[in-house]
Amino acid sequence: MLPAESRAPMPHLAIDIGGSLIKLVYYSRNGDWLPEDNKIWSSKESLGVSNGEGNHPLSEGRLHFAKFETSKINDCIEFIRSKQLHVGGQHHEVPSKNKIIIKATGGGAFKFTDLFKEKLGIVLDKEDEMDCLVAGANFLLKAVQREAFFYMDGQKQFVQIDHKDLYPYLLVNIGSGVSMIKVDGDGKFERVSGTSVGGGTFWGLGRLLTKCQSFDELLELSHVGNNRVIDMLVGDIYGGTDYAKIGLSSTNIASSFGKAISVDKELEDYQPEDISRSLLRMISNNIGQIAYLNALRYGLKRIFFGGFFIRGHAYTMDTISVAVHYWSKGEAQAMFLRHEGFLGALGAFASYERHGFDDLTAHQLAQLCPRRESCSEGILICVHGRK
């Protein structure tokens, strides 16, 4: 970064356009930041960013996070326009015109490139989706304190990551579908597996079965549901007893949605909240199992789960954690990320060459940062300037 007295305009925005959701990461200097931004638009707390060389004044700023449904992309475009986020984009001079370039990733960066050009006059500079996911995860794991945590029995246990012992690990990104990526270092990774049963499945089937109009509404329903009304348990088959010989308790699920085969009931006889709970349990269980089997296949001890399917939802994290613990016989644990839904957008933002995110210092400071809606933890990140 340039010193504060001579710095060029900062890149303000990076976009990750997925099949179900659009994720934004945008930057503001501290003097320009308004708490209302987080209260209205952001689904996560913002990150404080401090940049500049040690001999120069620091230019402090903040990263904000926002999301929109991809089906409502015009709302996203209007948000960008209203805050003039695209104005801070990189300007590339070419004969006859000056292009505004915004970093973007995800399949929608290709699908909607003409729409962004028409509505905002910007060119989407497309970054590879997997590159961005890994770059975003590595950035968070190396730069942000209290980012990774275990979740079991309703409690978060934050993990201190040793940067020298971070790799290799398995990154499980749960978006519309699921990608499982073996990460061996910065820019060194391989997509080793995945499944089409992910967040899009939960939302799509849930909408058909419950008539919910949004992912969040469906997720809220699951809070009060009882999956045992719909799922067939081992105890239902064995008369309330365990199948101890092979280690199955009476409460283990033998068949997701298994009780729905009853000829005496139709869809309208089941409560939407029970359907939502059962669907969430089915998908989370399977993702946890597939993730562990891939970790076992490649001898990986760490499994990090990200993606907007999770959303910090207690039941989702608990189900994934239990699945990994069960199938590994207690030898592996699932780990989650506080900013799980913004890995791709963060990776795209970090790809701005002038931003200097690859020069992050190892000594980050955490500070309490009050919000109007709640008191959440902000993180100060010190970035050295480029030489």
Side-chain angles (χ1 to χ4, degrees):
M1 285 300 302
L2 296 174
E5 64 270 17
S6 62
R7 62 180 180 263
M10 283 286 296
H12 282 183
L13 173 69
I15 312 173
D16 177 7
I17 310 175
S20 303
L21 292 171
I22 303 171
K23 287 77 67 177
L24 307 182
V25 172
Y26 63 98
Y27 171 87
S28 69
R29 293 189 175 87
N30 279 352
D32 300 329
W33 175 66
L34 296 176
E36 286 83 352
D37 289 353
N38 260 16
K39 183 176 74 171
I40 298 173
W41 297 103
S42 180
S43 61
K44 292 288 183 183
E45 68 274 20
S46 54
L47 291 177
V49 178
S50 175
N51 53 61
E53 296 188 37
N55 296 328
H56 297 284
L58 296 179
S59 171
E60 292 193 350
R62 192 167 294 273
L63 291 179
H64 305 265
F65 305 88
K67 63 177 173 62
F68 298 85
E69 293 180 16
T70 305
S71 61
K72 300 177 181 178
I73 192 169
N74 285 323
D75 291 346
C76 174
I77 289 173
E78 180 54 36
F79 174 71
I80 294 170
R81 179 190 289 113
S82 68
K83 292 192 173 294
Q84 293 291 290
L85 299 180
H86 57 305
V87 174
Q90 290 181 319
H91 292 255
H92 289 190
E93 292 190 10
V94 296
S96 75
K97 59 183 177 179
N98 190 26
K99 290 184 179 179
I100 299 177
I101 309 295
I102 297 296
K103 294 289 186 180
T105 190
F110 295 88
K111 182 177 181 179
F112 298 109
T113 187
D114 291 339
L115 182 64
F116 275 85
K117 186 174 182 180
E118 175 190 345
K119 298 287 188 180
L120 295 173
I122 62 177
V123 175
L124 298 183
D125 186 10
K126 303 169 187 65
E127 297 290 330
D128 180 77
E129 184 175 356
M130 294 298 147
D131 286 343
C132 288
L133 284 173
V134 173
N138 285 343
F139 164 68
L140 290 171
L141 290 170
K142 291 191 292 184
V144 181
Q145 289 185 350
R146 294 172 63 83
E147 176 65 32
F149 60 91
F150 299 118
Y151 190 89
M152 191 68 73
D153 299 325
Q155 298 294 322
K156 288 182 181 180
Q157 180 184 341
F158 285 94
V159 182
Q160 184 64 41
I161 302 296
D162 182 355
H163 299 174
K164 297 179 180 179
D165 191 36
L166 173 60
Y167 308 111
Y169 68 83
L170 186 70
L171 175 61
V172 182
N173 189 67
I174 314 172
S176 299
V178 184
S179 286
M180 301 188 184
I181 307 165
K182 178 176 175 285
V183 181
D184 293 304
D186 289 325
K188 299 177 182 178
F189 64 89
E190 177 186 4
R191 185 183 187 275
V192 295
S193 187
T195 171
S196 60
V197 180
T201 312
F202 175 65
W203 191 352
L205 281 177
R207 187 173 183 277
L208 290 174
L209 295 172
T210 69
K211 308 304 180 184
C212 284
Q213 296 302 305
S214 73
F215 190 103
D216 290 324
E217 183 184 356
L218 190 62
L219 206 56
E220 283 299 316
L221 266 183
S222 72
H223 279 278
V224 294
N226 179 8
N227 67 293
R228 297 185 181 190
V229 175
I230 296 177
D231 293 340
M232 184 179 293
L233 308 183
V234 170
D236 295 323
I237 300 172
Y238 280 82
T241 64
D242 301 336
Y243 187 180
K245 183 176 180 179
I246 60 173
L248 294 178
S249 75
S250 62
T251 58
N252 284 141
I253 297 174
S255 175
S256 295
F257 284 82
K259 288 180 181 175
I261 63 176
S262 171
V263 296
D264 300 325
K265 289 186 176 183
E266 301 296 332
L267 178 60
E268 55 269 20
D269 296 318
Y270 294 97
Q271 296 301 312
E273 56 267 30
D274 298 333
I275 294 173
S276 174
R277 184 86 161 195
S278 178
L279 190 58
L280 185 65
R281 189 69 177 263
M282 178 182 72
I283 293 171
S284 300
N285 259 330
N286 277 272
I287 292 172
Q289 180 183 5
I290 296 170
Y292 169 68
L293 292 176
N294 275 280
L296 180 66
R297 177 186 178 190
Y298 291 98
L300 305 176
K301 299 300 183 183
R302 293 187 181 88
I303 312 173
F304 294 101
F305 290 84
F308 246 123
F309 171 73
I310 301 171
R311 303 196 185 196
H313 187 245
Y315 190 69
T316 304
M317 293 189 294
D318 188 67
T319 302
I320 291 174
S321 296
V322 168
V324 171
H325 184 271
Y326 176 82
W327 290 106
S328 70
K329 294 181 171 58
E331 294 183 3
Q333 284 183 286
M335 285 186 278
F336 302 92
L337 302 171
R338 285 198 299 132
H339 298 88
E340 80 272 298
F342 295 93
L343 303 185
L346 275 169
F349 195 87
S351 69
Y352 284 108
E353 292 181 357
R354 293 186 291 119
H355 209 276
F357 271 17
D358 50 351
D359 293 329
L360 283 163
T361 62
H363 55 281
Q364 292 78 34
L365 303 174
Q367 60 183 6
L368 291 179
C369 185
R371 298 284 180 265
R372 291 193 177 187
E373 294 287 72
S374 63
C375 185
S376 57
E377 189 175 349
I379 302 122
L380 177 67
I381 304 170
C382 299
V383 185
H384 283 308
R386 292 182 181 272
K387 297 180 179 178

